[in-house]
Amino acid sequence: AKCLEIKKKRTSHALIMMRKRDIADSSILPACKKYKSDRSEGSEFHLPDELIMRVFSFLEISDLLGRVPFVCRHWKSLSLTPSLWQSRHLNLHSLGVNSFSHTLSLLRQPRFSSLKRLTLGKISLSNSDSNPTSDPSTYYQEMKNYENVLVEDLHNKSSLVFLDLSFCECISDLTLKSLSNLRHLRRLVLQDADITDNGLQSLLSNGLSDLRSLDLQSCDQITDRSLSLLSDGCPNLSDLSVSYCQLITNEGVRSLSSCSALRRVGLSGTGVSFEGLTLLAPLGLQHLAIAECDQICTDEFTRLPQLLPSIQSLDLSENENVTDGVVQQLFLTDSVSKNLQYLNLHMCENLTDSAFSVLIKNSDHCPLPLLTLDLSECSAISDETLRLLSLFCGSLENLDISGCSVTDAGIVVLAYGCRKLRSL
């Protein structure tokens, strides 16, 4: 009896906390009333399934898979309910699932029949008996067999709106053909996939009008033809990355200029020049990555602010043509200095403290809205830059100065002026 009373008190406390967190909404009020009625009648203590399911909805996926089912049979049964998983992001990579056999066994469970968000991560045949070095023919045949099975499973996941297949060994054009059935897909990540223009054409064959974001980073067989296909088949595309697709040129960018919804573009490590960037100017880009773009010279970099007045995020990393004058021009252009929140200057080795001295001239707009700044491996940056940042960039939350020539004194000054810093 004493134990029962303690349980009742704990449950009452839990309900109070749920009410404080605004969890007790209209969907669980009937369950709360039933629970209150059961208590008044002195019935056997238990929580209604509606309340248990609501608590489960706040648990980590690792707990739902690895702990909840082992508490009791009833909890195991509830944890298998498809509605519990419908809004969850199943990230197999973060769960440590890295083999095809384990991946396929999970995807076929009924609880995942209505899954909307899925990340496979870097799965491979590493646990297989075959080896790509000692027995390549058997290894790749086994990989193809897994792909055929995976294609069938993904084809049946028609409710998916987010799918991440980055670094999966078995992804090819055949996989993309099966994904054309996912008409509700809004974001697709295919980093480092072994796909071609033909595969992308198959993907778009049924029309993916809901697709908003596509990541093709490091898909080195993708050419300008793919960009032409995207401009015709994805009218709502707002986010596209073809960074490190070395076959992409200005001609492909010309096709993108007709994508009126495009606001975020990744062109790092491609053959795109300043001429290509001018083709995108009418789109009003807010996010642009052009790291390692050797085709753009210093004078052209200084013209970027006029080309991109609405820019909020800019990646100029690993460009030897980015000099002090380029950064100064960014901060001197009112429209850019008022909007820029993310700036990546990693390994821009020609930068010095003079790049930020211009902040004094733009003090009328301080503090600047800059939230994230990456100055890592800029060896000529010293305490003087930290002093200027503390005075004029008080909104900074993330700053990377690894590899810079800074001292303890500079860090102290920075801490005094940038009190919102969360990562250093």
Side-chain angles (χ1 to χ4, degrees):
K2 187 174 181 180
C3 291
L4 182 60
E5 186 63 28
I6 292 175
K7 288 182 178 180
K8 288 182 178 180
K9 288 182 179 179
R10 287 178 177 174
T11 305
S12 298
H13 178 69
L15 288 174
I16 292 172
M17 295 303 294
M18 289 169 67
R19 188 170 302 165
K20 287 182 178 180
R21 294 173 58 187
D22 296 323
I23 298 176
D25 56 17
S26 58
S27 64
I28 63 170
L29 282 177
C32 293
K33 292 178 180 179
K34 179 179 181 298
Y35 168 74
K36 185 176 180 180
S37 175
D38 289 346
R39 286 182 61 199
S40 62
E41 296 172 5
S43 61
E44 182 180 355
F45 170 79
H46 70 280
L47 274 178
D49 288 350
E50 293 92 335
L51 288 181
I52 296 177
M53 289 290 285
R54 175 50 70 98
V55 173
F56 283 0
S57 70
F58 289 94
L59 296 180
E60 297 289 339
I61 288 183
S62 56
D63 292 328
L64 285 175
L65 289 173
R67 295 184 177 183
V68 167
F70 301 101
V71 173
C72 63
R73 292 179 181 178
H74 183 57
W75 279 26
K76 180 179 181 179
S77 175
L78 291 177
S79 70
L80 296 174
T81 307
S83 61
L84 179 64
W85 297 91
Q86 191 173 18
S87 61
R88 304 303 292 264
H89 181 186
L90 182 61
N91 190 331
L92 300 184
H93 178 67
S94 66
L95 293 173
V97 178
N98 56 12
S99 69
F100 277 112
S101 56
H102 194 182
T103 297
L104 296 176
S105 67
L106 279 175
L107 291 180
R108 291 177 176 178
Q109 294 181 14
R111 74 176 97 183
F112 300 130
S113 59
S114 302
L115 197 65
K116 290 188 176 182
R117 295 184 292 168
L118 173 64
T119 295
L120 294 189
K122 191 174 182 178
I123 55 176
S124 64
L125 300 181
S126 56
N127 295 332
S128 171
D129 292 334
S130 56
N131 185 284
T133 304
S134 60
D135 191 2
S137 60
T138 303
Y139 179 85
Y140 289 112
Q141 181 58 48
E142 186 175 350
M143 186 171 65
K144 184 59 64 177
N145 293 339
Y146 270 117
E147 182 184 19
N148 292 332
V149 178
L150 182 62
V151 162
E152 182 180 350
D153 288 349
L154 290 177
H155 183 78
N156 296 326
K157 302 291 184 187
S158 58
S159 59
L160 283 174
V161 297
F162 172 89
L163 179 61
D164 187 345
L165 299 174
S166 301
F167 308 107
C168 295
E169 283 188 359
C170 73
I171 301 303
S172 72
D173 290 347
L174 177 63
T175 309
L176 296 191
K177 186 176 182 179
S178 73
L179 298 183
S180 63
N181 183 56
L182 308 181
R183 300 196 176 186
H184 300 295
L185 202 62
R186 296 174 64 89
R187 174 163 171 74
L188 178 61
V189 184
L190 296 167
Q191 281 190 37
D192 203 38
D194 186 22
I195 58 175
T196 67
D197 297 333
N198 293 332
L200 202 60
Q201 184 175 18
S202 299
L203 173 68
L204 303 175
S205 60
N206 290 336
L208 291 178
S209 58
D210 284 343
L211 192 66
R212 302 290 197 276
S213 175
L214 179 63
D215 190 342
L216 298 173
Q217 182 173 320
S218 299
C219 295
D220 51 19
Q221 298 182 67
I222 293 296
T223 71
D224 292 334
R225 178 173 166 238
S226 285
L227 300 190
S228 178
L229 293 169
L230 288 171
S231 65
D232 295 333
C234 299
N236 295 313
L237 191 67
S238 62
D239 181 357
L240 174 66
S241 176
V242 287
S243 293
Y244 306 104
C245 297
Q246 298 180 1
L247 301 179
I248 297 297
T249 67
N250 291 342
E251 192 59 35
V253 173
R254 187 182 303 276
S255 301
L256 293 180
S257 62
S258 62
C259 298
S260 58
L262 203 59
R263 293 295 179 269
R264 182 189 295 265
V265 179
L267 296 171
S268 298
T270 63
V272 175
S273 68
F274 187 76
E275 178 187 353
L277 297 182
T278 59
L279 297 172
L280 298 178
L283 297 178
L285 292 181
Q286 297 175 349
H287 308 270
L288 178 65
I290 46 175
E292 295 186 68
C293 285
D294 299 332
Q295 305 292 328
I296 305 176
C297 68
T298 299
D299 289 340
E300 291 170 335
F301 272 122
T302 59
R303 292 158 57 190
L304 280 179
Q306 287 72 39
L307 204 64
L308 306 166
S310 303
I311 199 70
Q312 297 177 11
S313 171
L314 185 59
D315 184 352
L316 301 176
S317 59
E318 298 186 60
N319 279 306
E320 62 180 13
N321 291 329
V322 171
T323 62
D324 293 341
V326 174
V327 178
Q328 289 174 358
Q329 195 60 42
L330 284 175
F331 290 123
L332 284 174
T333 305
D334 286 351
S335 58
V336 174
S337 62
K338 291 178 182 178
N339 295 314
L340 193 62
Q341 299 179 17
Y342 173 92
L343 180 60
N344 189 347
L345 299 171
H346 167 71
M347 283 191 71
C348 292
E349 299 176 349
N350 291 321
L351 287 184
T352 70
D353 293 327
S354 297
F356 296 91
S357 62
V358 75
L359 290 175
I360 300 175
K361 299 179 182 180
N362 207 13
S363 58
D364 293 341
H365 298 145
C366 295
L368 297 178
L370 194 64
L371 301 177
T372 299
L373 176 62
D374 189 341
L375 294 172
S376 56
E377 306 307 324
C378 297
S379 57
I381 296 296
S382 71
D383 290 348
E384 175 60 19
T385 292
L386 299 190
R387 185 184 70 83
L388 293 170
L389 292 177
S390 70
L391 290 174
F392 305 110
C393 297
S395 299
L396 265 181
E397 296 180 358
N398 306 287
L399 176 64
D400 191 343
I401 49 174
S402 55
C404 295
S405 303
V406 298
T407 66
D408 293 344
I411 299 296
V412 171
V413 173
L414 179 72
Y416 181 80
C418 298
R419 296 182 178 273
K420 296 182 180 180
L421 270 179
R422 297 184 299 176
S423 172
L424 179 61

